[in-house]
Amino acid sequence: MRNPNDAPSLALVTTPAVDLEAEADLTRCGALKDFWYVACLSTELPKGKPLARTIFGTNLVLFRDEHGRPTALRDRCLHRNARLSAGDVFHGRIGCPYHGWTYDASGAVVEVPSLGPSQCGEALDAQGHARAGLQVRPCDLGKLHRFDTLEQDGLVYVFMGGDSKRALRPSFRVPYWGQPGWTVYFMVTRFPNGVTNLVENFMDVPHTVFVHKGWFRNPARKRVPARVKRADGSVLVTYQQEQDTVTGLGRIFNPSGLPMVHTDHYFIPNITRVDYMWGERSGFAINSQVTPIGPTDSLVYTAISYRLPYDLPRALVARALMPLVRWYTTQVIRQDVDIMRVQREGLLNGPGGGVFSGTEADLLHADIESYRRWLLAGGHGAGPGDEERGIVFWI
């Protein structure tokens, strides 16, 4: 194991760029599909409204059943393949906008208006419509594919890999959700890039002095030692520099100049968590869960959890600072959106998707890619072995 006080290595390592096409294709993504993925915020799915989503290139329609529980079906009517997400939701069922075929939360057809009320049995009322509380007997016309769903911590998850009992990991819990003293809010951002490239961006310190110059960090020409631990499907980076500073909102979170504890944590297959903590009373955590839409298109659900070190009523502090915190984090994320677009343009400019070159500063990225490639190949065997190493880079 290299001593982190040594000079950084200049050895160049090249690897093929990630296969964006396969990563976002439900038929070719291997074990990447065998995890829970965020489909929407709970607030984005009100009762009585359908919501269209595309995950792993597969079109879904989400709506709430008669009990308010989320359901996800393939967004394609069995009759003439019209999108159900363009239809209406009533009594926990969804109707096709083309001919009115109606589906319950299991994906079964429960009404075909053109056949009259007798087609689906006596559960329809005298006018031939399903009413709340009636147990409608399904028509013998097949079922739409249904995807398992889960709702927790203000998020609705979908499992794309079949029976969710075979999920390789439980759904991720939002840091500090519901804990006293902490405020949590969400940002939903569409990024023009694939999952691997995005989680690497969210875990990357060296880019901050270029992409976020003046907003997050300023070039300081300082040496940064860190420990990179790859274990149990995660990559943890602990930065060994307590005097590191964050510009912008850093002054609000750390008015006393306390040492900062900074960690970046990746969890397979698509999740990052970045923590900045100052003592026991102040800090914020940025948790990003990336959902693939297509090869170079993703939705990122970012939970910002923060605690402020002021002896004032929490409601007063939140009311005074929340608009500023939201505005600031929005600007920073927009900068990442722009640089991810720039990277995508470079990747797509030529055959083979390009080649990645890396040095010691990219060790954590190599670990992330090793996990992603293993899952893409099917996730067989034990996967990448546990390892802990020291690295050094400059910012």
Side-chain angles (χ1 to χ4, degrees):
M1 187 178 297
R2 198 183 63 76
N3 187 330
N5 293 319
D6 294 341
S9 169
L10 296 179
L12 185 69
V13 177
T14 60
T15 58
V18 294
D19 189 343
L20 298 176
E21 295 280 348
E23 280 193 334
D25 185 333
L26 193 61
T27 64
R28 294 191 290 152
C29 65
L32 289 172
K33 66 181 180 300
D34 298 329
F35 297 81
W36 289 98
Y37 285 84
V38 179
C40 64
L41 305 180
S42 293
T43 55
E44 292 181 297
L45 192 65
K47 199 168 183 179
K49 295 287 185 181
L51 180 67
R53 281 290 185 264
T54 302
I55 303 177
F56 284 106
T58 303
N59 293 332
L60 309 178
V61 58
L62 289 95
F63 61 97
R64 294 188 181 275
D65 66 15
E66 64 271 26
H67 303 292
R69 298 171 300 202
T71 191
L73 305 175
R74 189 176 292 276
D75 192 9
R76 187 173 63 191
C77 181
L78 295 172
H79 183 214
R80 288 297 182 267
N81 293 179
R83 289 188 302 108
L84 293 174
S85 57
D88 295 316
V89 175
F90 43 91
H91 310 311
R93 306 177 188 108
I94 189 165
C96 176
Y98 195 8
H99 296 94
W101 283 35
T102 302
Y103 300 82
D104 65 13
S106 75
V109 182
V110 293
E111 184 178 0
V112 179
S114 62
L115 294 179
S118 62
Q119 173 65 21
C120 296
E122 66 285 351
L124 301 180
D125 67 10
Q127 286 73 42
H129 298 289
R131 297 300 183 192
L134 293 179
Q135 297 299 313
V136 180
R137 181 165 56 85
C139 306
D140 188 18
L141 291 170
K143 295 180 71 171
L144 283 171
H145 187 100
R146 180 184 178 277
F147 298 86
D148 287 352
T149 59
L150 169 69
E151 188 168 17
Q152 69 178 26
D153 299 348
L155 298 168
V156 175
Y157 291 82
V158 173
F159 187 76
M160 303 296 291
D163 186 352
S164 61
K165 293 178 181 178
R166 57 185 295 273
L168 297 181
R169 289 208 166 181
S171 55
F172 194 80
R173 302 308 300 254
V174 172
Y176 305 110
W177 179 266
Q179 292 193 19
W182 286 86
T183 299
V184 182
Y185 69 93
F186 290 103
M187 302 178 69
V188 182
T189 312
R190 191 158 183 155
F191 274 83
N193 215 320
V195 176
T196 300
N197 295 334
L198 292 177
V199 296
E200 289 186 357
N201 170 260
F202 304 153
M203 291 273 289
D204 185 75
V205 169
H207 89 277
T208 60
V209 298
F210 300 97
V211 177
H212 308 300
K213 182 180 178 180
W215 284 86
F216 199 72
R217 272 194 178 88
N218 289 316
R221 297 189 180 278
K222 58 185 179 182
R223 180 177 177 277
V224 180
R227 303 293 297 176
V228 180
K229 181 179 180 180
R230 184 181 70 200
D232 191 29
S234 73
V235 179
L236 172 64
V237 186
T238 303
Y239 299 92
Q240 300 171 323
Q241 198 168 51
E242 292 185 344
Q243 298 309 312
D244 192 12
T245 57
V246 176
T247 58
L249 289 184
R251 298 184 183 91
I252 296 175
F253 281 91
N254 189 25
S256 302
L258 296 174
M260 182 174 78
V261 178
H262 173 199
T263 57
D264 292 349
H265 212 164
Y266 162 78
F267 303 89
I268 59 172
N270 64 322
I271 298 167
T272 62
R273 173 176 171 172
V274 178
D275 286 56
Y276 299 93
M277 297 295 166
W278 297 273
E280 297 295 325
R281 299 183 59 205
S282 179
F284 65 92
I286 308 168
N287 167 223
S288 297
Q289 303 193 52
V290 188
T291 298
I293 298 172
T296 58
D297 209 6
S298 305
L299 272 178
V300 178
Y301 298 85
T302 303
I304 310 289
S305 308
Y306 68 91
R307 178 175 56 183
L308 293 161
Y310 303 106
D311 293 322
L312 295 170
R314 182 184 175 201
L316 177 62
V317 173
R319 188 163 56 249
L321 293 179
M322 176 67 84
L324 177 61
V325 174
R326 282 183 176 272
W327 176 83
Y328 176 83
T329 52
T330 298
Q331 305 313 308
V332 172
I333 284 182
R334 284 177 178 171
Q335 292 168 339
D336 280 326
V337 169
D338 290 340
I339 199 62
M340 288 293 93
R341 181 180 296 106
V342 170
Q343 183 192 33
R344 180 184 71 172
E345 291 167 353
L347 283 168
L348 299 180
N349 183 21
V355 172
F356 286 164
S357 299
T359 65
E360 177 176 345
D362 301 295
L363 175 62
L364 62 156
H365 302 327
D367 285 345
I368 290 171
E369 290 168 23
S370 68
Y371 276 127
R372 296 276 300 171
R373 293 181 194 281
W374 168 61
L375 292 171
L376 182 61
H380 305 295
D386 295 353
E387 193 169 357
E388 184 172 354
R389 294 145 292 178
I391 65 170
V392 171
F393 58 87
W394 288 73
I395 57 173

